Amino acid sequence: MQGDALSLEDKPAKAPARKASPARTRKHGDGHEAKEREMGDALRSVYDRTVQEEVPDEFLDLLSKLD
């Protein structure tokens, strides 16, 4: 035999259902939400500062060579 032919009726096997990890199903204390908010604020601050940075001239020169 050279190979098995697949018909349209052949269905791929389904992946087993994933169980939620205990860490995700557990209720968090009041401090958890405050920590998440603080982390979100810090990430937004870093992002905002990064977006406001100027692009170095060397990088602009390299980009202009691609045109």
Side-chain angles (χ1 to χ4, degrees):
M1 282 171 100
Q2 291 206 352
D4 295 329
L6 294 176
S7 71
L8 293 177
E9 288 138 10
D10 291 339
K11 294 180 182 176
K14 290 184 180 180
R18 292 177 59 179
K19 294 180 182 178
S21 66
R24 290 183 185 216
T25 57
R26 204 172 37 209
K27 299 255 182 197
H28 298 288
D30 294 332
H32 181 72
E33 291 161 355
K35 286 180 185 178
E36 282 188 349
R37 195 173 320 114
E38 185 178 331
M39 189 181 342
D41 290 344
L43 288 171
R44 274 187 288 282
S45 174
V46 170
Y47 175 80
D48 289 340
R49 284 183 283 158
T50 302
V51 168
Q52 292 172 2
E53 286 182 11
E54 290 188 32
V55 178
D57 290 334
E58 295 85 9
F59 191 67
L60 291 174
D61 289 339
L62 287 172
L63 287 173
S64 70
K65 292 177 183 178
L66 293 175
D67 290 336

